[in-house]
């Protein structure tokens, strides 16, 4: 069934004409032949609105009495029974009188929509839940009747019923809204011009946002990429530099010049994750733009201008604000800047503003690779290769009788410079370049053993060597640092991905998380500490590893999580850059701890609820089913003890038989209650041994009338591994239940067969049967499905039977009987062929 469509007339204040517009729409639809009815309309005595009700079918309302007064409410059942094509429902935010079908009228409307009925309704802007505080601050009146914004937003059509404050006040003064005795008070309080203007603006802005959502959806569905300048939307391009704050404030001022302007700040990062942006500065700029009413966006893109323009067109922006480039003059040789490229490719639908700032042409500076930590041995090796290496190479070349030439000598020294950069970073490489230049000059450039150079070509060669050595050293060092930084970011992303995955998977093992922390940071132990109050003693919520810390100050590393939790690690001191990932682990550990406790509390609550349910059901059953046989016994005993009546031997025997039957019935009921109690507490211990079914099943039929059950137990059946006493009780309960529901004169069939390594016992009746949805419910305690007569038991027989069967490793289920009725299928394990015979001297029943 298709869901109905919802159309809402939204007004800024009472009296603007929402109900009038809704009824007019109803008349238009009736004229077009649509089946339209009035489900509920509040005309409040307004004659022009009341006149519009003529000619429309009005469904009767439901009269509900509350505190001595009768209130008319919309009759949802009547609307569903009438099933019109369109229903007119006034005042969507109305609160129904207690005793109604639903607490709120919008919930009634939801039922009509679910039934496929189109609904036309009305609501005022002040009744939207999200605007309650704003409306109260404007009017001084708190709206008690509200409707969730999402209900109104999901409407298929929203039509704003607008009216200027002056026109509405004139309408009120003419008596078209309130009675004359209320007009003056209304005009001087709620309906003041300022209030009405503010409410009107709220309604217009809320509707504009809804229209904008529809526009975005329409553009996406039709793949429209060009900008439609329906409203000013300004995109600010941020680089993470200090000029970003100036750009945000400038864009905000531009947005304020037009009504409804919006600011979207966007930072575009390269896909390799390597950036010169300051995370701290970006965080400050995010806070600033959000404080000014804008939004912050983080986008990945290797081509910055293209990514910026793609984002701007995707959000239907009208303007882009960029800062003047921080490039130095010589850097323009490498190509135009981002601002020039965006301005050239923006097209006629996007205006680009280039804003000057104090950082213009000051350069970006080289990114500092804080994450590149080199060990002491590598740094020492780099200095040895950079300083001692050139010296050793010079001594080697001077003592070897081989004239390699100045060019080859320079290449050998350059190789040492590259090696020192790889090992120790940039400083040893620069030292290697300087020492190599001096040694080349001293030993290999004529005149030798002097720092002067005779041939100008050699001067150029040495200068080129030094420049190339410095450039190569810088590139190699930067590449090494970037590689280290990328590897570190990859490791961090893997750790954070693991944490995110554990949240999605719902993992609740705190010890496993702490073990992952210990392995990730190579620690000896990890512990999550907590305390009840901010100054209370610390206790360990969980820990892994030897000798975990008992206080944060005893640990080598501690990461607080609020005032009550702290993650304490022992083993070594972590560098500062590792604390970001450690903080994520600590937050996740706190979440896991809370989840574990919530799960435990939920399980305890479930057990308590289940226990309360069983106790309630037990009291309800005991109140009748145990009192009935007790009353019969008491009546019989009272009659026998009475001296007023002389009982014959036959009467006396009949009364004694009644007492015995009542006592047997009580014994059966109490036995089932005790059995269920043992099953609930898990104290049933079955004594499993090989038993023949034809020894147990006939004994289980002793509690049913003769001829009410027919047995079919083949002698060729294998023995079954069961507890004889428990199986007898389970079969007895199943058969008694089947006999109870089987028609009179139709015996219950009890048949057994073999299926693989299992033996199946079927108890077939021809009673009314049980629907599929209720088959599992009949095995719940105290369930009789409402069709058993009172006094027929407390509804524990099948629950006890299933509990006993499952305790023996079997199964008990229900199936439909072909031709009508219910078949209970009891499946048991077959004993292995050649199983030893039953051992004598063992107890017949399980130990409980």
């Amino acid at each position: 069934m298709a869901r109905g469509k919802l159309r809402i007339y939204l007004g800024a204040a009472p009296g603007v004409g929402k109900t009038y517009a809704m009824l007019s729409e109803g008349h238009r639809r009736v004229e077009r032949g649509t089946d339209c009815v009035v489900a509920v309309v509040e005309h409040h005595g307004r004659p022009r609105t009341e006149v519009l009700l003529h000619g429309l079918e009005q469904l009767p309302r439901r009269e509900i009495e509350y505190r001595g007064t009768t209130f008319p409410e919309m009759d949802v059942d009547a609307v569903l029974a009438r099933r019109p094509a369109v229903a007119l429902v006034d005042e969507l935010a109305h609160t129904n009188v207690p005793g109604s079908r639903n607490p709120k009228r919008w919930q009634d409307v939801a039922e009509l929509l679910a039934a496929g009925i189109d609904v036309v309704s009305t609501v005022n802007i002040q009744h939207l839940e999200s605007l309650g505080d704003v409306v109260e601050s404007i009017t001084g009146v708190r709206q008690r009747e509200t409707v969730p914004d999402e209900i109104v937003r999901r409407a298929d059509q929203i039509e704003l019923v607008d009216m200027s404050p002056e026109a509405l006040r004139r309408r009120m003064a003419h008596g078209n809204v309130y009675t004359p005795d209320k007009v003056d008070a209304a005009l001087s309080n709620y309906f003041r011009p300022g209030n009405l203007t503010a409410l009107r603006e709220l309604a217009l802005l809320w509707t504009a946002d809804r229209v904008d959502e529809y526009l975005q959806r329409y553009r996406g569905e039709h793949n429209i990429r060009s900008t439609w300048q329906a409203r000013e939307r300004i995109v600010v391009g941020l680089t993470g530099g200090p000029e970003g704050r100036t750009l945000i404030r400038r864009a905000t001022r531009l947005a304020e010049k037009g009504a409804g302007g919006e600011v979207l700040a966007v930072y575009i990062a390269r896909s390799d994750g390597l950036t010169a942006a300051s995370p701290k500065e970006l965080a400050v700029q995010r806070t600033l733009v959000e404080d000014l009413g804008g939004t912050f966006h983080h986008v990945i893109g290797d081509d910055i201008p293209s990514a910026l323009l793609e984002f701007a067109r995707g959000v239907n922006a009208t303007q882009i604000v960029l800062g003047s480039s921080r490039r130095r003059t010589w850097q323009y040789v490498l190509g135009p800047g981002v601002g020039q490229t965006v301005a050239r490719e923006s097209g006629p639908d996007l205006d680009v503003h280039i804003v000057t700032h104090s950082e213009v042409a000051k350069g970006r500076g080289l990114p500092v690779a804080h994450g590149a930590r080199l060990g002491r041995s590598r740094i020492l090796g780099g200095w040895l290769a950079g300083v001692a290496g050139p010296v050793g190479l010079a001594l080697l070349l001077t003592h070897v009788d081989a004239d390699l030439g100045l060019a080859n000598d320079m290449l050998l020294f350059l190789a040492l410079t590259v090696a020192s950069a790889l090992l120790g970073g940039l400083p040893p490489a620069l030292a290697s370049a300087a020492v190599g230049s001096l040694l080349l000059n001293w030993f290999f450039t004529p005149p030798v053993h002097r720092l002067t150079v005779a041939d100008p070509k050699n001067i150029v060669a040495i200068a080129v060597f030094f420049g190339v050595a410095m450039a190569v050293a810088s590139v190699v060092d930067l590449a090494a640092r970037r590689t280290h930084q990328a590897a570190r970011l990859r490791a961090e992303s893997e750790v954070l991905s693991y944490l995110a995955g554990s949240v999605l998977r719902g993992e609740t093992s705190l010890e496993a998380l702490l073990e992952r922390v210990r392995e990730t940071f190579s620690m000896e132990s990890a512990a999550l500490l907590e305390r009840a109050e901010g100054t209370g003693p610390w206790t360990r919520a969980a820990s892994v590893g030897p000798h975990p810390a008992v206080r944060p100050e005893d640990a080598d590393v501690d990461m607080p999580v609020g005032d009550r939790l702290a993650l304490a690690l022992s083993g070594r001191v972590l560098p500062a850059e590792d604390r970001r990932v450690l903080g994520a682990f600590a937050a996740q550990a706190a979440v896991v701890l809370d989840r574990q406790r919530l799960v435990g509390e939920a399980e305890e609550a479930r057990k308590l609820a289940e226990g309360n349910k069983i106790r309630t059901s037990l009291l309800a059953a005991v109140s009748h089913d145990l009192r009935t046989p007790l009353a019969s016994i008491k009546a019989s005993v009272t009659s026998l003890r009475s001296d007023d009546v002389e009982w014959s031997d036959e009467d006396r025997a009949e009364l004694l038989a009644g007492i015995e039957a009542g006592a047997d019935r009580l014994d059966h009921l109490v036995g089932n209650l005790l059995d269920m109690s043992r099953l609930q507490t898990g104290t049933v211990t079955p004594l499993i041994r090989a038993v023949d079914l034809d020894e147990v099943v006939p004994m289980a039929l002793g509690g049913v009338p003769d001829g009410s059950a027919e047995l079919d137990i083949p002698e060729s059946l294998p023995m079954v591994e069961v507890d004889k006493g428990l199986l007898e009780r389970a079969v007895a309960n199943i058969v008694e239940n089947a006999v109870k529901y089987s028609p009179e004169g139709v015996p219950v069939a009890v048949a057994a067969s073999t299926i693989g390594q299992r033996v199946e016992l079927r108890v077939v009746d021809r009673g009314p049967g049980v629907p599929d949805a209720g088959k599992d419910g009949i095995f719940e305690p105290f369930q009789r499905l409402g069709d058993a007569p009172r006094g027929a038991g407390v509804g524990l027989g099948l629950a006890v039977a299933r509990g006993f069967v499952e305790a023996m490793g079997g199964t008990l289920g229900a199936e439909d009987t072909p031709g009508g009725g219910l078949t209970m299928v009891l499946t048991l394990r077959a004993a292995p062929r050649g199983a030893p015979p039953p051992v004598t001297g063992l107890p017949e029943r399980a130990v409980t």
Side-chain angles (χ1 to χ4, degrees), residues 660-736:
E660 183 179 11
D664 291 340
R665 185 173 170 189
L666 274 178
D667 178 67
H668 180 73
L669 291 173
V670 173
N672 274 340
L673 289 172
L674 291 176
D675 289 338
M676 179 53 60
S677 175
R678 291 168 184 150
L679 287 171
Q680 291 286 338
T681 56
T683 56
V684 174
T685 306
L687 182 63
I688 304 297
R689 52 180 175 170
V691 176
D692 282 322
L693 275 182
D694 55 5
E695 295 179 8
V696 180
V697 176
M699 298 173 59
L701 303 184
V704 298
D706 294 338
S708 59
E710 294 180 350
L711 283 178
D712 182 12
I713 309 293
E715 295 182 359
S716 59
L717 278 180
M719 302 176 75
V720 291
E721 292 184 332
V722 295
D723 180 292
K724 184 177 180 181
L726 295 183
L727 179 59
E728 180 184 340
R729 178 71 66 82
V731 174
N733 285 351
I734 296 171
V735 174
E736 289 176 8

Side-chain angles (χ1 to χ4, degrees), residues 48 85 215 261 353 421 477 540 562 697:
R48 296 190 178 184
L215 178 61
H353 301 265
D477 174 70
R540 276 199 296 262
V697 176

